Structure formats: structure tokens, C-alpha cells
């Protein structure tokens, strides 16, 4: 049995949910207990969440069990390309996470497949985010995941600065330019805010409940939003993106929460 096959089988055995002793694992794999300990050490070093110790037994923690999968050449190139895009266009935390993930993947790949995740002839171009924009995008991602309102100061295309309390609904990236689709409590409408035009972004610890009329599907399905995206995709002109920022769109019907314009 090749080593990579043995490692996958080792993970599968520990996914059964019981504490596995070294003796049991060595018998199932047909190797010595010393080899089992070495393999487990290598898996732990690569980030596999194995708990236990020699003489007691080992267990793959249930909340983070890993599936045994095989990748095709195209799948590996897609993963590598996605990681390269994250390093080029996303915030620094996501970029660093993509590098870590690819290193973990490379450690468990067969030797013949390792070169497939190094895209020497494919490159994603772009200017990396500034530290300030990276921090703002990270804050927006965190609030989006937590369904938490954001307090932002925003500079419109004509340099007018306004202060908004918004409900983040979705993030979009257009050739390296990130925008946040949100429900704006000041305007009482869906609005889109470019991350690079946010002067200040603060989490509020005030959560909100999404509904069918106020979630990312409702935001994206808004008629004015759909027309813009259709026209933008047809024209592919970067300057057209400026029209997206802060543009009004119809208010969702039957919105379950009482929203009103708030002056800041």
C-alpha cells in the first residue's frame, strides 16, 4: 500500500468514532505501531485534528472530520487558481489562509500530483489591497457572517461623506474591487457600498434577522440591481462600476421590520 493511500485509510479508520489504539490501527493497516505513530505525527503536523496519545488511543475530532477524496488535474488547478485569486484580491487574512490551505493539501498529495497545484503558466494579475482596505474588508466579512449591523462613513463619487447604519447582505468582487450589498437604514433601501470608499467601518454588536424580503437573494433580485448587473456584464467597462455605488433601488415589499430613515 502506498503511503498516501495508507494515510487516507488511517483517517477513515479514525472517522469511525471510536478511540483507536496503535495496535488496532497497525493491524488494520498491516504496518508496525511505530509506523502508525509516525503517520499520525505527520498528519497532526499538516493540520489534521487528531487527539490522543500512545498507550491510550487516537481519535479524529468529530466536529472536524475530513472526507477521503481524490482530486482530478482540473480540480487541483481550480483550487490553486482560487488560492492565487485570494492572495491577489482578498484581504490579507484570506490570502494567508489560502497559502496555508495549499501547503496542507500539498503534504498529503501523492508525489505525482504535487506539481499540479503550482500554476507556473497561469497567473492572476492585480494590485494587492492596501492595509487599510484589507482591514475594512475583514471587518465587513466578519459582520456579514455574524449578521451584525455595521456603522460606516462613506464617501460618494462626488466626495460627499455620509454616515450609515447598514445590514450587510453580500460581498461581491469585480476585478479586484470589492463592494458590500446592504440594507441601508438611513435611506430605507438596498444600497451598494464600495469597500475602498468606506472611510470608517465599525462593528456594532447589534445583530439582525434576515427575511425573504431582506437577504442577499432579495438584494440581488431587486429590478434596478438586475438591470445594472446585466448592463455591466454586457459593457465590461470599468468606469460603469461607479454607477453602482450608493445607487437607490426599490424598497422591498412587506418588510417585516419597521425601518425608518435615520439622520446621523
Amino acid at each position: 500500500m502506498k503511503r498516501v493511500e495508507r494515510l487516507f485509510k488511517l483517517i477513515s479508520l479514525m472517522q469511525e468514532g471510536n478511540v483507536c489504539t496503535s495496535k488496532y490501527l497497525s493491524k488494520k493497516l498491516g504496518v508496525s505501531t511505530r509506523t502508525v505513530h509516525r503517520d499520525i505525527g505527520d498528519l497532526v503536523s499538516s493540520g489534521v485534528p487528531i487527539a490522543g496519545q500512545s498507550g491510550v488511543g487516537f481519535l479524529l475530532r468529530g466536529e472536524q472530520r475530513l472526507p477521503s477524496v481524490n482530486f482530478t488535474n482540473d480540480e487541483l488547478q481550480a483550487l490553486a487558481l482560487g488560492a492565487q485569486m485570494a492572495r491577489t484580491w482578498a484581504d490579507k487574512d484570506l490570502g494567508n489562509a489560502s497559502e496555508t490551505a495549499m501547503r496542507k493539501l500539498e503534504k498529503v498529495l501523492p508525489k505525482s500530483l504535487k506539481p499540479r497545484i503550482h500554476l507556473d503558466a497561469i497567473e492572476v494579475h492585480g494590485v494587492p489591497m492596501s492595509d487599510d482596505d484589507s482591514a475594512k474588508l475583514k471587518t465587513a466579512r466578519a459582520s456579514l457572517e455574524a449578521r451584525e449591523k455595521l456603522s460606516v462613513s462613506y464617501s460618494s463619487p462626488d466626495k460627499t461623506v455620509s454616515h450609515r447604519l447598514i445590514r450587510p447582505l453580500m460581498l461581491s468582487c469585480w476585478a479586484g474591487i470589492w463592494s458590500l450589498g446592504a440594507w441601508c437604514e438611513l435611506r430605507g433601501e438596498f444600497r451598494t457600498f464600495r469597500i475602498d470608499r468606506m472611510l470608517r467601518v465599525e462593528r456594532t454588536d447589534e445583530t439582525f434577522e434576515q427575511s425573504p424580503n431582506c437577504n442577499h437573494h432579495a438584494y440581488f433580485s431587486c429590478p434596478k440591481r438586475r438591470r445594472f448587473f446585466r448592463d455591466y456584464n454586457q459593457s465590461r467597462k470599468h468606469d460603469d462600476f461607479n454607477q453602482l455605488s450608493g445607487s437607490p433601488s426599490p424598497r422591498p415589499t412587506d418588510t417585516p421590520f419597521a425601518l425608518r430613515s435615520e439622520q446621523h
Side-chain angles (χ1 to χ4, degrees):
M1 183 187 301
K2 294 182 179 179
R3 184 167 187 267
V4 66
E5 294 175 349
R6 188 174 73 244
L7 292 176
F8 278 124
K9 188 172 181 180
L10 179 57
I11 291 175
S12 297
L13 289 170
M14 287 189 288
Q15 282 182 325
E16 294 174 355
N18 300 317
V19 175
C20 301
T21 64
S22 303
K23 184 177 180 180
Y24 170 80
L25 293 172
S26 66
K27 181 179 180 180
K28 287 289 187 179
L29 296 172
V31 296
S32 67
T33 55
R34 181 178 179 182
T35 299
V36 169
H37 292 155
R38 184 175 66 246
D39 287 347
I40 288 176
D42 291 342
L43 288 171
V44 170
S45 298
S46 67
V48 179
I50 298 174
Q53 62 184 20
S54 178
V56 177
F58 301 92
L59 178 69
L60 188 63
R61 290 201 292 272
E63 70 277 8
Q64 299 186 47
R65 291 183 184 177
L66 306 176
S68 297
V69 295
N70 294 315
F71 295 102
T72 66
N73 178 56
D74 284 349
E75 288 169 343
L76 286 173
Q77 290 204 17
L79 290 172
L81 182 60
Q84 194 175 127
M85 288 179 174
R87 290 194 297 272
T88 305
W89 292 342
D91 59 76
K92 288 180 171 52
D93 280 12
L94 276 184
N96 292 336
S98 72
E99 290 185 357
T100 302
M102 296 309 292
R103 284 198 298 269
K104 290 179 179 179
L105 178 60
E106 186 176 13
K107 286 183 178 179
V108 298
L109 283 175
K111 186 176 181 180
S112 61
L113 292 180
K114 292 182 187 294
R116 301 299 185 184
I117 62 174
H118 298 287
L119 301 179
D120 297 329
I122 301 177
E123 186 171 351
V124 177
H125 293 283
V127 178
M129 271 193 164
S130 66
D131 290 343
D132 183 50
D133 285 346
S134 175
K136 289 183 291 187
L137 179 57
K138 179 182 177 181
T139 300
R141 283 198 300 111
S143 290
L144 181 64
E145 183 176 356
R147 294 185 179 180
E148 175 189 72
K149 295 180 183 180
L150 276 175
S151 175
V152 302
S153 294
Y154 192 75
S155 177
S156 64
D158 64 1
K159 307 302 182 183
T160 300
V161 177
S162 60
H163 306 285
R164 315 286 187 96
L165 185 64
I166 62 176
R167 303 178 181 214
L169 300 174
M170 67 173 295
L171 278 164
S172 302
C173 183
W174 303 71
I177 298 176
W178 285 89
S179 63
L180 178 65
W183 177 266
C184 176
E185 297 200 354
L186 175 64
R187 304 303 185 197
E189 303 182 303
F190 290 124
R191 291 294 177 105
T192 306
F193 303 91
R194 277 178 46 165
I195 296 295
D196 59 347
R197 287 188 178 149
M198 292 180 178
L199 306 179
R200 177 188 57 82
V201 185
E202 293 181 358
R203 298 181 65 175
T204 64
D205 294 326
E206 182 181 353
T207 59
F208 64 93
E209 293 294 330
Q210 293 191 6
S211 75
N213 295 308
C214 193
N215 57 25
H216 69 282
H217 295 297
Y219 161 82
F220 204 77
S221 299
C222 187
K224 194 160 190 174
R225 220 46 54 192
R226 287 202 307 268
R227 283 198 303 274
F228 177 83
F229 292 137
R230 180 195 62 206
D231 295 343
Y232 180 82
N233 287 331
Q234 289 175 349
S235 66
R236 287 301 200 194
K237 293 181 180 179
H238 179 73
D239 288 342
D240 287 351
F241 192 88
N242 293 333
Q243 300 174 18
L244 181 64
S245 178
S247 60
S249 52
R251 179 171 179 159
T253 58
D254 300 322
T255 306
F257 19 71
L259 295 178
R260 59 185 178 83
S261 297
E262 298 184 10
Q263 301 299 326
H264 295 271

